[in-house]
Amino acid sequence: MNAFDATPLTMFRPASVEALLLDHITWLLIGGAVALLAVMSLLLALALRRHSRPIAAAWWIVGGGLGVPAVLLTTLFLYSVSVTQGLDRARPPDALIVDVVGRMWWWEIHYPDTPGPGRVTLANEIRVPVGRQVLLSLGTADVIHSFWVPAVGGKMDTVPGRDNRLLFTPREPGTYRGICAEYCGTQHARMGLTVVVQTPAEFDAWLERQARDAIPPDDEAARRGRQVFLSRGCDSCHAIRGVAERGRLGPDLTHVASRLELGAGTLRNDHGALARWITTVQDLKPGARMPATHHLIGRDLDDLVAYLEHLR
């Protein structure tokens, strides 16, 4: 499974109960707009014809200009309001809670209800079980962002000082792309995320692994790499649970090697991607709040990458 092979960014392939409902409403609104256009075109054609008994202008204005649009649009409005009321209901008692924080220019993800003492924290990737309601609590650490994964539900802004929410129920396993849909600065276009829908058993196993502390290095290169991480100041911005936990500016790296992508969708997280990201981050994502480390070369770089690739 790879984030770059995810379902295309489209709302017309719904993968949740709520997205399916929004898909139906969208097609209904499109159909209503086409019907309105057809009726107005017919009225225009009739108005241009010669009549032995011309119709009064008031009838065209009141009936064609006001009456027909009012009836069609009011009907569509009332129907859409009636069928979407449940999308903003209170928190279901058995919903999976996922906290999402928008940052320049990545998404910080928290699972507050996790097994064991550790709190699952990761970046740009949300994993959920099929068939269970998911409640996203949406916030921001800086400016307004907008969370949008078209295949699983509606679009919701993250607003400073306010917690918004979005509820969806996945219908089938898969990998679905999302974006920030509100311009938020230089790298707005590279602020992607992925929603991975798994079977309940797969999700439970994944969550249990993610709740563990970082795996201790099992070879000499990885052990040296852990020391490079600490001595070069990487822990000033990045946390690794069980190793260094003070960093809060950048993504948590406790299980970074298990993620599908790096840089909020900038790179596939395959072999060599971490080395490329570390040394050329400002070439790949100019303006990202991580300094390029061109000076980190040779064995130090190899050892650091060996350690990070070990963190699964």
Side-chain angles (χ1 to χ4, degrees), residues 1 88 143 163 204 261 263:
M1 182 187 300
D88 194 31
V143 300
D163 289 327
D204 289 341
E261 60 189 24

Side-chain angles (χ1 to χ4, degrees), residues 264-286:
T266 304
L267 288 176
R268 296 174 185 262
N269 192 9
D270 51 20
H271 182 68
L274 280 164
R276 186 180 173 197
W277 177 258
I278 290 168
T279 55
T280 62
V281 58
Q282 291 300 321
D283 296 326
L284 294 167
K285 195 168 181 176

Side-chain angles (χ1 to χ4, degrees), residues 162-247:
R162 177 174 177 176
D163 289 327
N164 288 333
R165 64 187 183 188
L166 191 64
L167 187 70
F168 69 94
T169 309
R171 298 170 57 235
E172 56 188 61
T175 305
Y176 308 99
R177 294 295 298 166
I179 58 171
C180 174
E182 178 79 23
Y183 181 74
C184 55
T186 307
Q187 288 300 322
H188 161 71
R190 288 193 179 93
M191 190 175 169
L193 72 151
T194 308
V195 173
V196 181
V197 181
Q198 301 175 297
T199 65
E202 290 173 336
F203 171 77
D204 289 341
W206 172 84
L207 190 64
E208 192 275 331
R209 290 193 301 271
Q210 292 288 315
R212 300 173 188 168
D213 285 350
I215 304 171
D218 56 2
D219 62 66
E220 190 60 32
R223 281 190 283 271
R224 291 196 304 265
R226 181 172 60 182
Q227 290 306 118
V228 173
F229 179 86
L230 296 172
S231 64
R232 293 286 187 146
C234 303
D235 59 330
S236 298
C237 297
H238 299 283
I240 296 179
R241 210 162 51 244
V243 176
E245 303 188 24
R246 65 191 179 97

Side-chain angles (χ1 to χ4, degrees), residues 4-80:
F4 287 79
D5 301 322
T7 299
L9 197 68
T10 174
M11 61 175 293
F12 293 111
R13 296 177 64 178
S16 75
V17 173
E18 292 74 12
L20 183 62
L21 178 60
L22 294 174
D23 179 70
H24 289 164
I25 293 174
T26 299
W27 282 113
L28 178 65
L29 293 175
I30 292 173
V34 171
L36 180 59
L37 176 63
V39 171
M40 299 307 295
S41 299
L42 176 61
L43 291 175
L44 177 61
L46 292 174
L48 295 175
R49 291 182 58 191
R50 293 180 178 273
H51 295 274
S52 56
R53 296 177 58 188
I55 300 175
W59 283 108
W60 291 114
I61 296 173
V62 176
L66 297 177
V68 172
V71 170
L72 278 173
L73 295 177
T74 300
T75 301
L76 292 172
F77 171 74
L78 293 176
Y79 175 78
S80 64

